[in-house]
Amino acid sequence: MKTVTFIGGIAGVILAVFAYFAELNSWASPEAAMALGFAGYVLIITAIAYFLLSWLYQGSRDIEVL
């Protein structure tokens, strides 16, 4: 699952960067660039959230309860 999430996060960064350059250089219509950028941001946020929750879960398993 971590590999899939990592690949999704990298794909999100690539989509966001592509959308930025597409809008900057007028490669595509503004609607298409905005849709690509939004999809990229969603993938990035999802990957970060998964890794943060995984890190918190792993840390909570290591803590001893009184």
Side-chain angles (χ1 to χ4, degrees):
M1 184 69 181
K2 288 184 180 185
T3 305
V4 173
T5 307
F6 184 73
I7 291 171
I10 296 297
V13 170
I14 291 170
L15 280 174
V17 168
F18 179 74
Y20 173 73
F21 283 118
E23 188 173 345
L24 189 66
N25 296 324
S26 300
W27 291 343
S29 65
E31 296 85 17
M34 188 175 290
L36 279 177
F38 181 73
Y41 292 145
V42 167
L43 286 172
I44 293 168
I45 291 169
T46 303
I48 290 171
Y50 173 78
F51 283 118
L52 284 175
L53 287 173
S54 174
W55 177 67
L56 285 171
Y57 177 72
Q58 187 69 22
S60 70
R61 287 187 0 188
D62 296 337
I63 295 175
E64 291 184 23
V65 179
L66 293 176

